[in-house]
Amino acid sequence: MKTYHVLQATLTLATCTLSALAISTSANASTVVTFDDLTGDNLLVPDGYGGIRWDNNWIYYGFEQFPYTPESIPNRIYGNYDKWNGPSSIPFYFASPVIFDGGYIAGYDFFLPASFSLYNGGTLQATSASLTPSSTPTFLSSGYTGLVDEVRVNWYNGSTVLDNVTYHTAAVPEPACLIGLLGLGAFGITSKFNRKQKQQVDC
């Protein structure tokens, strides 16, 4: 009987581990915010677009303009001139924490390099490497795999654009697996208690 329970618990753990890996693969699929389905030019990115709160900080446009090359045609974004100009640290926000992968940067190379500052709950978690913009859109990775709810883009507003903002959510194990793992833990504790009782009786 004990062998059967041990076998059952081991199978439960193995099943949960495999399920967690499968969940992790599907839940970690990246979201790429391209801005390309927005219509018009030089308009505010609407709050909630792409699962992000833009807070009237960002404007999109789609006409050709060197060296502000989009990674995907036609649209890219820049900071709202009414709020930001020159050296700026321009934020956007997530409703719940995500893992921010990065985005494509293009623009002039003779102002400030671009970087990301990553926050969670108002506390700085990490700052990315710096990237010198060029007319070729280049992916700037956040370099951070922890959760964040705010990203600030550090650059010289008016000389740089951002495109294809990429992020993904952290995988959450299914409740059934959590119950299985808790059951395995309870089984281990019970077994230990039973052994202890048997030792006391033998004495």
Side-chain angles (χ1 to χ4, degrees):
M1 185 62 76
K2 282 185 179 178
T3 306
Y4 169 76
H5 284 310
V6 170
L7 207 53
Q8 191 179 38
T10 305
L11 285 171
T12 301
L13 179 60
T15 303
C16 285
T17 303
L18 290 171
S19 293
L21 287 172
I23 293 162
S24 180
T25 303
S26 60
N28 281 337
S30 292
T31 297
V32 181
V33 185
T34 66
F35 311 100
D36 295 332
D37 57 339
L38 296 173
T39 57
D41 276 312
N42 291 318
L43 299 172
L44 289 169
V45 180
D47 268 346
Y49 177 79
I52 298 172
R53 179 163 62 88
W54 302 96
D55 206 27
N56 294 333
N57 287 318
W58 296 91
I59 291 176
Y60 69 90
Y61 75 106
F63 55 82
E64 289 187 23
Q65 188 182 34
F66 183 86
Y68 308 119
T69 315
E71 168 60 16
S72 59
I73 297 171
N75 293 334
R76 61 286 210 197
I77 62 172
Y78 63 92
N80 181 358
Y81 287 141
D82 290 339
K83 298 177 72 174
W84 311 94
N85 207 356
S88 305
S89 185
I90 312 174
F92 55 82
Y93 309 90
F94 298 93
S96 57
V98 302
I99 299 169
F100 176 68
D101 301 309
Y104 283 85
I105 304 285
Y108 284 105
D109 62 2
F110 49 78
F111 289 103
L112 292 177
S115 66
F116 298 120
S117 293
L118 311 172
Y119 290 78
N120 196 9
T123 301
L124 179 65
Q125 304 297 313
T127 299
S128 74
S130 295
L131 172 70
T132 299
S134 73
S135 59
T136 301
T138 305
F139 188 76
L140 175 58
S141 171
S142 73
Y144 182 64
T145 57
L147 294 175
V148 301
D149 59 13
E150 176 185 352
V151 175
R152 298 181 191 175
V153 186
N154 311 307
W155 65 15
Y156 195 98
N157 196 42
S159 71
T160 324
V161 293
L162 176 65
D163 198 11
N164 288 17
V165 171
T166 307
Y167 68 91
H168 63 277
T169 54
V172 179
E174 282 183 339
C177 277
L178 291 176
I179 291 166
L181 291 172
L182 287 171
L184 183 59
F187 172 77
I189 292 166
T190 305
S191 297
K192 188 174 181 181
F193 178 73
N194 287 339
R195 280 198 305 273
K196 206 170 212 179
Q197 273 194 327
K198 189 175 184 303
Q199 285 169 358
Q200 286 171 352
V201 169
D202 291 342
C203 293

